[in-house]
Amino acid sequence: MQSFRSEIENPIVEKDIIDLERKIQQFYKGEIDEERFRSLRLARGVYGQRQFGVQMIRIKLPYGKLTSEQLHRIANVSDEYSRGRLHITTRQDIQIHHVSLDRTPELWAELEKDDITLREACGNAVRNVTASETAGIDKDEPFDVSPYAHATFEFFLRNPICQELGRKFKISFSGTDKDTALSFMHDLGFIAKTKNGVRGFKIMVAGGLGSQARLADTLFEFIETDKIIPVTEAVLRVFDRFGERSKRAKARLKFLIKDIGFEAFVKLVEDEQKALSVKTFPIDTAGFDKDVDVSHVEIPSVEIKDQQAFETWKAINVIEQKQEGLSAIGVKVHLGDFYTKEARILADLIKKYAGNEIRLSLRQNILIRHVKNELLPFFYVELQKLGFVDVGYESTLDITSCPGTDTCNLGIASSTGVSAELERVLKTEYPQYANNKEITIKISGCMNSCGQHTMAHIGFQGMSIKSGNLVAPALQVLLGGSVLGDGAGRIADKVLKIPSKRGPQALREILNDYQSNVKVGESFLNYYDRQGERYFYTLLKPLADTTNLEQSDFVDWGADEAYVKAVGVGECAGVVIDLIATLLFESEEKLENASESLKKEQYADSIYYAYLSIVNTAKALLISEGKKTNTHAGIISQFEEEFASKIELDVPFSEFIFQIQKNEPTKEFAESYLIDAQSFYKKVDAYRANIVSDEA
């Protein structure tokens, strides 16, 4: 396992991977608590599966961009460390499953050879930064948002202000007012705008799905591009300090704003301005603004055996780019799953015959970019060999689904099984929806909405339902969600719960009623609003009857045995249980990080590491006294109240720690703040040692 170290060129990455390897060994030896170790590995993209003893690895791919070389690398890693299956997520990541924990450092090192990271793909950090998959080629976009998404990804990767948040934090970039990156459901959503010829963004804040969905507020109607990094940093600083940490269900940014109010939140963001690491951050777009040159690409001669099928595919799955003479090809990937054999062939195709780039979509598909229009027949023939020409890319027939009970600990009922059956029903009974880009169908295996069912026109959520003493898999039917555009959205209504095996019939009832009653020119949403939620409850109510269930109703989709509700501990959104000794040990590590950052003249990072050490140290002492430690702000106020007379400081504790907010990140302040943090740690450590000694 040690051989990979000499092959990693980036010393920061090398340290990261070695640290993961070391933490794994410490965990095996019992030196790290299991709950704390969970937090450590999640921050490195290693997620526990439903199946015992294996891990899911989430590969972080900013805005879903992949080159041929990177796709080959991921395929090689999947074959070597897993089973050759690749899963595209609704955040434009790729997941591979069934990986041994022992091999994760080596796997990570292999990926880094082509600049692919696992860092912060899971856990309570800034997750993958997503963007419209058509960014850079969309005829309607004011500018390409890709470089801004990339700069945001890079700036906050390993950034100390967002390593141990109360919960995950999600950021998106939409290229147009159509809001295809779904800004309204993100912690921070950016929508490209221009004002008097100047590039900028509308910024949405504190949206989210899950069991308590919330539509985002508008933080700024327009802000210039060089301000988006400072704004994001300020929001993250506020979330880190005031966000809930103990109650997982209340720990997202949307709950903080709900608790304190939007105006109070904005004031807190404004109060952080002096402490920011940068006041302005111009983003270099040079590498993205260059046109892709595919003029040299040869055009092989091919024979189209079914011209009508080709024309249908071209009309539905091909997108005309803003670059003259080029098109993008949408590949509908069933359930987001494809395999390494197809991945390698696809990688070779885009390298030789296109712009050497694909983008993964938010609906778990693949978009091949920069294809000469003359090459469309050739690509059709080649993709047909791979089974990649199913029509319906990003259409009603293209159902979004999370893995559900296949691999996820939180899955309540199968989402992939019912998705497959619904797609079959649509394809055979409702083929006319292959080119319907309006109605979306989304399915999640639990309330967390990884399949984004709460924003679908037609959504399904995995549940369970009782029938006497027996329990059957079930689906909550939701209707009326949608993306409205320009930061606005709709959350779907929960209509009723039905046994899961009746999901296909529920879809038939809805679509049949829509086709029978929709008015000319009326959208699905207007039709739904006109009929009303109660109408659909009555329409579907016969399917909710549990007195007439058959034996097959107690077997979930894709299963052979009777359904058993088995929900494990969720990890991606989990909050860890901290031990006092572990906290104090981590305080020391943070002081070391502060010192290292100071040597590298990274003053803002040094200051924040010192701040985190002080908070961690105070938290450890409060936990030893049985006190609550829900937020950083709460820790600070409680520590001042409980230990003002026990830990001697020259000023009140709040004033001591909040120097971070009152000073600019200069070398002088970084040095003095680090000395303060080191001194505070020594005082607390000595106090704790005396207490332990007395208790013994």
Side-chain angles (χ1 to χ4, degrees), residues 125-181:
V126 173
R127 296 292 185 82
N128 195 31
V129 176
T130 59
S132 304
E133 66 271 12
T134 54
I137 64 172
D138 194 324
K139 289 184 173 183
D140 297 326
E141 67 184 11
F143 56 88
D144 183 3
V145 300
S146 303
Y148 304 97
H150 192 82
T152 303
F153 156 75
E154 285 193 326
F155 189 90
F156 293 103
L157 187 70
R158 298 184 178 87
N159 193 308
I161 68 169
C162 51
Q163 292 304 295
E164 298 177 11
L165 301 170
R167 282 286 296 273
K168 56 192 173 184
F169 194 95
K170 297 181 177 180
I171 300 174
S172 75
F173 284 80
S174 286
T176 72
D177 284 355
K178 290 180 181 177
D179 198 12
T180 52

Side-chain angles (χ1 to χ4, degrees), residues 327-445:
S327 290
I329 298 172
V331 176
K332 181 176 175 288
V333 182
H334 178 62
L335 301 178
D337 292 334
F338 67 118
Y339 293 84
T340 53
K341 179 181 177 182
E342 290 80 15
R344 289 190 179 90
I345 296 171
L346 180 61
D348 291 338
L349 281 172
I350 65 170
K351 176 79 171 179
K352 186 173 181 180
Y353 295 103
N356 192 26
E357 179 188 338
I358 63 170
R359 298 275 177 107
L360 307 179
S361 85
L362 293 155
R363 291 178 67 174
Q364 302 172 288
N365 293 315
I366 295 170
L367 187 67
I368 304 169
R369 296 153 60 98
H370 309 303
V371 176
K372 291 168 70 172
N373 290 339
E374 297 88 340
L375 276 167
L376 289 175
F378 169 76
F379 265 91
Y380 178 76
V381 170
E382 295 302 309
L383 293 174
Q384 190 174 42
K385 296 175 186 176
L386 303 179
F388 278 177
V389 293
D390 282 354
V391 294
Y393 173 79
E394 307 276 299
S395 75
T396 306
L397 266 62
D398 192 2
I399 297 176
T400 301
S401 173
C402 71
T405 51
D406 288 0
T407 57
C408 179
N409 280 321
L410 290 176
I412 297 173
S414 172
S415 48
T416 58
V418 70
S419 295
E421 179 61 17
L422 294 183
E423 283 203 1
R424 187 196 67 77
V425 167
L426 287 167
K427 191 172 183 178
T428 56
E429 301 176 30
Y430 302 90
Q432 67 270 31
Y433 285 92
N435 200 24
N436 185 309
K437 305 288 185 178
E438 178 205 351
I439 301 173
T440 59
I441 303 174
K442 297 174 182 284
I443 304 176
S444 300

Side-chain angles (χ1 to χ4, degrees), residues 41 63 82 92 113 140 149 159 186 262 282 360 370 373 388 461 512 537 568 589 614 667:
R41 62 174 167 77
Y63 50 99
S82 180
Q92 299 174 300
K113 292 177 182 178
D140 297 326
N159 193 308
H186 281 75
F262 182 70
L360 307 179
H370 309 303
N373 290 339
F388 278 177
Q461 176 197 322
N512 290 344
Y537 174 83
E589 286 191 331
I614 297 170
K667 177 183 179 181

Side-chain angles (χ1 to χ4, degrees), residues 82-270:
S82 180
R83 301 178 179 181
R85 180 174 72 100
L86 307 175
H87 176 72
I88 304 169
T89 77
T90 54
R91 295 207 61 74
Q92 299 174 300
D93 296 310
I94 283 180
Q95 293 176 176
I96 59 176
H97 296 81
H98 304 284
V99 177
S100 168
L101 178 62
D102 291 338
R103 303 194 73 190
T104 53
E106 184 182 349
L107 177 154
W108 187 359
E110 283 297 311
L111 289 173
E112 287 286 355
K113 292 177 182 178
D114 278 300
D115 197 26
I116 304 167
T117 190
L118 308 182
R119 183 69 197 229
E120 296 144 51
C122 304
N124 300 327
V126 173
R127 296 292 185 82
N128 195 31
V129 176
T130 59
S132 304
E133 66 271 12
T134 54
I137 64 172
D138 194 324
K139 289 184 173 183
D140 297 326
E141 67 184 11
F143 56 88
D144 183 3
V145 300
S146 303
Y148 304 97
H150 192 82
T152 303
F153 156 75
E154 285 193 326
F155 189 90
F156 293 103
L157 187 70
R158 298 184 178 87
N159 193 308
I161 68 169
C162 51
Q163 292 304 295
E164 298 177 11
L165 301 170
R167 282 286 296 273
K168 56 192 173 184
F169 194 95
K170 297 181 177 180
I171 300 174
S172 75
F173 284 80
S174 286
T176 72
D177 284 355
K178 290 180 181 177
D179 198 12
T180 52
L182 316 176
S183 69
F184 68 92
M185 52 155 278
H186 281 75
D187 295 289
L188 276 179
F190 296 87
I191 305 172
K193 303 278 185 180
T194 55
K195 189 174 183 180
N196 299 323
V198 177
R199 291 183 177 186
F201 289 93
K202 180 176 184 176
I203 304 182
M204 309 301 297
V205 67
L209 298 180
S211 59
Q212 298 183 57
R214 181 184 191 274
L215 299 173
D217 294 306
T218 302
L219 185 61
F220 293 102
E221 283 290 348
F222 182 86
I223 195 164
E224 294 181 6
T225 57
D226 63 337
K227 297 296 192 303
I228 64 171
I229 296 294
V231 166
T232 303
E233 181 181 339
V235 170
L236 282 166
R237 283 171 173 263
V238 170
F239 181 47
D240 192 32
R241 186 170 303 143
F242 295 94
E244 172 67 41
R245 291 175 181 273
S246 296
K247 300 174 185 175
R248 182 171 72 89
K250 298 276 289 180
R252 291 294 297 273
L253 181 63
K254 61 185 178 182
F255 293 110
L256 172 60
I257 289 185
K258 181 180 178 182
D259 289 343
I260 68 173
F262 182 70
E263 296 304 321
F265 173 78
V266 172
K267 178 63 168 59
L268 290 172
V269 170
E270 291 171 350

Side-chain angles (χ1 to χ4, degrees), residues 396 433 436 438-441 456-459 478-482 490 492 507 509-515 518-519 521-532 536:
T396 306
Y433 285 92
N436 185 309
E438 178 205 351
I439 301 173
T440 59
I441 303 174
H457 292 81
I458 304 172
L478 301 93
L479 294 169
S482 182
R490 284 176 48 143
L507 181 62
E509 296 286 351
I510 294 164
L511 292 180
N512 290 344
D513 190 87
Y514 170 63
Q515 292 176 166
V518 67
K519 296 180 178 180
E522 186 177 39
S523 70
F524 182 88
L525 286 181
N526 288 339
Y527 147 79
Y528 172 74
D529 289 341
R530 175 168 57 82
Q531 302 285 43
F536 291 94

